[in-house]
Amino acid sequence: MGNESGNRRSRFEFLLSVWAILAGALVGVLIGTQKQEWVEYIAPFGDLYLNVLKMCILPILITAISMSIGKLLKSHQHTHYIRRMFAVFAVGLVFTSGLGVLAGVSMEPGSNLSEESLSVLGKTIQGANQPDLEINLLEPFAPVEPPSLLKSFFVNLIPDNIFNALSNGSNLKVLFFAIIFGFAVGSIPKEASDSMLSFLDATYKAFAKLVSWLMYLLPFGLCGLIASNLSQVGIDILLAMFKFVPLVIGAFLILFIASSLVIGIRVGNFFLPFQALKQPVIISLGTANSLATLPSALEGMHKKLGYDKQAVDLLVPLAISLCRFGPVLYFATATLFVAQLYDIPLGFTGLLVVFVGAILAGMATAGTSGIVSLTMLGIVLTPLGLPFDAVIVLFIVVDPIVAPFRVLAIVHTACAAVSVIITDREKEETVLPAEPAVSG
Amino acid sequence: MPPSIAEILDRGTLRVAMYSRDTPPFYYRDEKGDLTGIDVHIIRGFANLLGVDVEFDRSAATFNAVIDKVANREVDLAICKLSMTFSRAMRVRFTEPYIVLHQGLLINRLKLAQQAGRKSKEEAIQNLKGKIGVIGKSSYVEYAKQRFKNTEIMQYPSWKAVVDGVLNGEVVAGYRDDAEIKKIIRDQPETALKLLTVVFKDALDPKGIAVAWDSVHLQFLLDFYIESLGLQLSADKVLHEYDAIISAIETKSPKSLKLPNSMPIVRPSDMEAQDGE
């Protein structure tokens, strides 16, 4: 790691090394668990870092997808990719949901909890000695009709005003716009579209550059993010969910290893995936935000693993936004946890409902992140007749611990899926530079 | 001297009926086995001002049996968080309520989720189906008949049995006042996973002291006494500010120095802020 080249910028080069990033993360862990009084001073660094990173995301998302669709249309490769994409995504979703169900069924995280654990869970649900509901008995309750899922999906998908969608950060709408726009750009005459494509390309490169500068600050940002995340978790609730939390994290890690193997098989080298995707892995664990990981995932897939830039720029954002491997696995295991908590035996049909429901609920989290996405758990729990409002609190409380791994599962599995979809690699670029290349 | 008061003063003891099962924090035996609680302190304070002893009769196994004791004049009054219901008021006289509680339900979350399906929780609760658990021969039998017409009423011997019935799914819900519902939240948080607690804002459960139908002046005096205590009781206050309530009662109704048997009879005229006859 010690690089003593005569490079002018090498003074700060050490900040890009794994050791610096790990040190930042470790300090964050220590502050978040041991020195909680420092969190308020250090947390803003994490938030600022995440905000700057998010600032670059939407432009990258739009330009990457529009440009790659536009170029693919020009090169007439697209039908081949689209078909493979659907097949691979479907297989991936089935696999993750199955893994989640398997983990829940085999390890039984919600069975035989001690009286003490139940008491902590109960206190967490109850909040502050208040009854759950205060309602009128005599006035008929006027229910708010919940919109249908399919309807709300399409409503969330299609923007009526793209600038509105951009300023609200509605990722799904932006994604839809980028795809449509890419098709449009690819369909106009070449002389007109070329200037547009080069504009998109320049925008994309500029923001990618910004992100690469940001990587110098990653250790500090990580430190703040991890510290503030960890300080929000009560230790007693973790003890009460001592079976569930390690189990899902374990399942995510199994998924991580499986994805690494898939990439390893595809590139013919089992160490390469770990090195090439080091940065996206660290950023997803540190920021717990899948889109914030997008730029580094694109770079890893293209520059370090040598996949075709256009295909990567199109497929990785699509896979991250639409193919929510992490939430799918999480919902499957979480549903089984709740069923076990309430002592509800799920027969084969019940497990099938969990398996399919987890895939649907996971897909429904597209465009949301964090706690909002947890509410989709209702999609699986309601058909099984399991109470949703009581248990959602439990998952919200442990989410600061679980979310980083869930995001890792989203991003890393998406990369693995893309490595399967793309059939050819440019071999000559796979040699890893010993130090990050700082090109002028 | 009005007859209902004179009778008590001549006897030298106030006979009070109280439900047999302990119901903290209203009336219960503490670790030393002494009877204590808010109702107990209120009525002891009243006896202090009258200058008589209190004799608690806890033989009534149901709340309606407590009312019977008052109606049959076996006791002077009954205080045990008694609900003031129409059918009871036909037989005995009630003071103004010393605490107005709300009715509430303790619902088995799973059973409700299965009943609700796609309906909202609130709607499912208002149109509750299945079995509803209450304490046998209590005011809640009457309330359940009025409010939850589609349910089958299951009468249990005690509140603990009702709660167990809800926990193991024998009944969909247990029905009682919000002080008892909130007590479960406070003392048994481990049940929160299984139990949904609901308080009805518009269904009140006023609690009064019962006296015989013709003990007009005793009722008046009790009302006057409760008014002078100015406790402003509510379920939350009772559960979370118990000590403050007890000390308020004690300062306003001090125990006179007890001289065995040769005690001067303290007349109501010794009560503070008393003028006229």
Side-chain angles (χ1 to χ4, degrees), chain A residues 15 83-84 105 141 144 156 254 266 407 430 433:
Chain A
L15 287 171
R83 228 176 286 138
R84 274 184 74 87
V105 171
F141 179 76
V144 188
N156 282 329
I254 290 173
R266 296 290 295 170
V407 170
T430 56

Side-chain angles (χ1 to χ4, degrees), chain A residues 284-349:
Chain A
S284 57
L285 285 176
T287 61
N289 181 314
S290 54
L291 279 176
T293 321
L294 181 63
S296 61
L298 293 179
E299 189 185 2
M301 290 293 288
H302 167 58
K303 283 204 174 132
K304 294 182 179 158
L305 290 175
Y307 284 104
D308 172 52
K309 182 168 170 0
Q310 277 171 43
V312 165
D313 284 354
L314 172 65
L315 295 171
V316 173
L318 279 182
I320 287 180
S321 321
L322 298 177
C323 242
R324 316 283 289 177
F325 297 111
V328 167
L329 191 157
Y330 188 62
F331 288 160
T333 313
T335 306
L336 286 162
F337 170 74
V338 175
Q340 286 154 7
L341 213 52
Y342 283 95
D343 250 340
I344 300 290
L346 294 174
F348 179 73
T349 346

Side-chain angles (χ1 to χ4, degrees), chain A residues 132-208:
Chain A
D132 299 306
L133 276 181
E134 289 199 352
I135 58 172
N136 286 333
L137 182 56
L138 307 174
E139 271 173 52
F141 179 76
V144 188
E145 200 53 53
S148 81
L149 258 176
L150 202 64
K151 215 157 128 189
S152 65
F153 179 78
F154 280 111
V155 166
N156 282 329
L157 182 66
I158 300 171
D160 60 343
N161 177 336
I162 180 59
F163 297 99
N164 206 349
L166 281 169
S167 58
N168 288 335
S170 318
N171 298 328
L172 216 51
K173 290 180 173 170
V174 172
L175 192 70
F176 176 81
F177 167 80
I179 292 171
I180 296 286
F181 186 66
F183 270 107
V185 170
S187 309
I188 54 180
K190 188 169 171 3
E191 51 274 17
S193 66
D194 272 355
S195 60
M196 187 66 193
L197 287 173
S198 60
F199 162 75
L200 290 174
D201 194 30
T203 313
Y204 173 80
K205 285 205 172 100
F207 277 101

Side-chain angles (χ1 to χ4, degrees), chain A residues 378-401:
Chain A
I379 297 173
V380 204
L381 292 182
T382 311
L384 292 167
L386 291 166
F388 161 71
D389 51 329
V391 293
I392 187 71
V393 182
L394 303 178
F395 296 115
I396 288 175
V397 172
V398 295
D399 211 53
I401 296 280

Side-chain angles (χ1 to χ4, degrees), chain A residues 82 119 145:
Chain A
I82 302 287
S119 172
E145 200 53 53

